[in-house]
Amino acid sequence: MDAEALVKPVVEGAGFELVEVDHRGGGSGRSVLRVTIDREGGVDLDAVAEVSERISRRLDLEDFGAGRYDLEVSSPGIERPLRSPAQFRRARGERVKVKTTEEVAGAKVHTGTLVGVDDDSVTVEVDGAPVRLPLSSVASARTVADWAAELKGIAG
């Protein structure tokens, strides 16, 4: 059975969003199932442990995988991928980097503030000018951390 189909209802039932499921063969015959979860306000270690336990029980019940595997559950981190309109909406006002499959406004890479989102496009303010990017042309997108501010927060 498909790992995402097994994991998604467990994650959503626990009140989280499933960001990504990655199942790859690992060394020494073991595979690794990586599950990335998120929710408004972020994910703490207790939440990761709780969801990990729930996923593990579901996978055991469904007899997931032919061999041994390692389950890794985590948050997307400070610089998080953006794939769905809902993820873009939550990142509105944040600094983002969006790569497109074709040039839009003379470039394939657009870094700036995410100022608008609808079901078909995102608008990024780049150097003071809004650039509308059709979601169909987005190859990848992620938030971009202000590392100076992040490190100052840790040290301060």
Side-chain angles (χ1 to χ4, degrees), residues 5-135:
L6 289 172
V7 168
K8 188 172 184 169
V10 175
V11 171
E12 290 177 350
F16 295 86
E17 175 192 358
L18 180 62
V19 175
E20 185 174 41
V21 175
D22 182 31
H23 187 210
R24 296 184 188 194
S28 69
R30 295 176 73 103
S31 64
V32 177
L33 177 62
R34 287 186 180 90
V35 178
T36 307
I37 61 172
D38 201 8
R39 70 174 167 195
E40 194 72 35
V43 178
D44 62 17
L45 197 52
D46 290 336
V48 167
E50 174 192 338
V51 173
S52 181
E53 178 62 32
R54 288 182 182 200
I55 291 170
S56 181
R57 281 194 308 253
R58 173 70 190 268
L59 295 175
D60 288 348
L61 283 171
E62 298 291 336
D63 205 20
F64 174 76
R68 297 175 54 107
Y69 66 92
D70 292 317
L71 173 63
E72 297 177 2
V73 178
S74 66
S75 74
I78 293 173
E79 291 191 344
R80 57 193 62 218
L82 302 170
R83 293 184 178 87
S84 70
Q87 291 169 347
F88 278 103
R89 282 185 188 94
R90 273 202 311 276
R92 194 174 310 157
E94 292 186 44
R95 188 164 174 77
V96 296
K97 181 176 186 177
V98 181
K99 295 180 181 179
T100 54
T101 55
E102 64 251 358
E103 282 193 9
V104 178
K108 284 189 171 183
V109 178
H110 309 272
T111 303
T113 303
L114 181 61
V115 294
V117 181
D118 61 40
D119 289 337
D120 302 317
S121 67
V122 296
T123 303
V124 179
E125 187 175 290
V126 180
D127 298 327
V131 179
R132 186 176 179 275
L133 306 169
L135 285 175

